[in-house]
């Protein structure tokens, strides 16, 4: 049951979700460092006490904000009949298709705003970027790439560059140019026809 405080703010069930939603809105609109805890409490409709009950510091809140976005932003690697298509799909989707209205890559943004490589937020951003390229390499391997790790890293670099450029140009998608370069990279690494690998196997599938 939700209680009303003397200031009209709400407490109780759903407070954590409201705080994270407010953090996503404000961090997206104005950045992490420009967002204060007082503003977060106002937008979330909670007291400072409630905010600090759920998140003991701003660093903890930023970490939780990024963690909630990971699954929606990482490339899907479910086994399927078209790994090449899965690779290209990374360049088709915009952030709003994956995790709500965000601007650019929140992990790149966080790494810039929290530059200390030993900071938990920066480490989380680095781990996300490592996992991003690892997943692309997994798909590249299934598609029959001769050097899947190299292709995964190339595509991750292309994607990050396209997203960063799109942020500056107020575009929420990687764009046709990035997609055409991705096609060229994949075709070069796999071959225009490609020999996709059988799921769970290191050998290319035959008879296709």
């Amino acid at each position: 049951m939700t209680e009303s405080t003397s200031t009209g703010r709400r407490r109780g069930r759903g407070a954590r979700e409201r705080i994270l939603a407010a953090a996503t809105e404000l961090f997206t609109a104005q950045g992490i460092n420009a967002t204060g805890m007082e503003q977060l409490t106002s937008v979330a409709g909670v007291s400072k006490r409630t905010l600090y009950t759920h998140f003991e510091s701003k660093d903890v809140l930023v970490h939780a904000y990024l963690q909630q976005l990971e699954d929606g932003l990482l490339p899907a690697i479910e086994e399927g009949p078209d790994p090449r298509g899965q690779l290209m799909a990374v360049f088709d989707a915009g952030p709003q298709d994956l995790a709500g209205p965000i601007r650019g890559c929140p992990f790149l943004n966080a790494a810039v705003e929290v530059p200390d490589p030993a900071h938990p937020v920066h480490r989380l951003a680095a781990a996300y970027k490592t996992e991003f390229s690892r997943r692309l390499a997994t798909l590249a391997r299934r598609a029959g790439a001769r050097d899947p790790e190299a292709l995964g890293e190339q595509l991750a670099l292309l994607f990050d560059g396209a997203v960063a450029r799109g942020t500056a140009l107020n575009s929420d998608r990687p764009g046709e140019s990035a997609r055409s370069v991705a096609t060229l990279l994949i075709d070069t690494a796999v071959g225009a026809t490609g020999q996709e690998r059988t799921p769970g196997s290191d050998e290319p599938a035959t008879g296709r």
Side-chain angles (χ1 to χ4, degrees):
M1 182 175 180
T2 301
E3 299 179 13
S4 295
T5 67
S6 59
T7 60
R9 291 174 175 168
R10 296 170 296 168
R11 299 190 301 173
R13 297 178 62 183
R16 187 178 193 277
E17 290 72 20
R18 295 200 307 276
I19 295 166
L20 283 172
T24 301
E25 175 187 340
L26 294 172
F27 293 160
T28 297
Q30 60 194 32
I32 293 170
N33 294 335
T35 300
M37 298 298 264
E38 184 71 38
Q39 186 181 19
L40 281 162
T41 61
S42 176
V43 173
V46 299
S47 66
K48 279 190 177 180
R49 179 177 178 180
T50 298
L51 189 153
Y52 283 110
T53 295
H54 290 281
F55 305 99
E56 63 186 32
S57 69
K58 185 178 179 182
D59 285 347
V60 171
L61 174 57
V62 173
H63 200 278
Y65 147 74
L66 291 174
Q67 281 186 316
Q68 72 168 346
L69 298 177
E70 282 186 288
D71 288 343
L73 292 176
L74 284 169
I77 54 172
E78 289 82 1
E79 291 186 353
D82 185 18
R84 179 196 288 263
Q86 288 177 278
L87 284 172
M88 292 306 305
V90 173
F91 294 87
D92 290 332
Q96 78 289 344
D97 300 321
L98 301 170
I102 63 175
R103 176 177 168 79
C105 173
F107 292 88
L108 281 178
N109 297 343
V112 171
E113 291 208 65
V114 186
D116 180 1
H119 193 285
V121 168
H122 195 105
R123 289 204 306 267
L124 178 62
Y128 168 85
K129 288 302 177 184
T130 299
E131 176 64 10
F132 191 95
S133 59
R134 187 196 71 80
R135 291 194 178 201
L136 293 182
T138 296
L139 294 173
R141 184 175 297 106
R142 292 177 187 166
R146 289 178 290 276
D147 189 342
E149 282 71 27
L151 179 58
E153 187 63 28
Q154 289 167 352
L155 293 175
L157 180 62
L158 174 64
F159 182 84
D160 282 346
V163 169
R165 179 174 172 79
T167 301
L169 297 176
N170 295 310
S171 171
D172 58 8
R173 293 180 183 274
E176 273 306 310
S177 294
R179 198 178 193 283
S180 64
V181 175
T183 299
L184 179 61
L185 288 171
I186 294 169
D187 285 349
T188 299
V190 178
T193 56
Q195 279 190 302
E196 294 175 1
R197 298 183 187 278
T198 304
S201 170
D202 291 330
E203 296 299 325
T206 58
R208 298 195 179 204

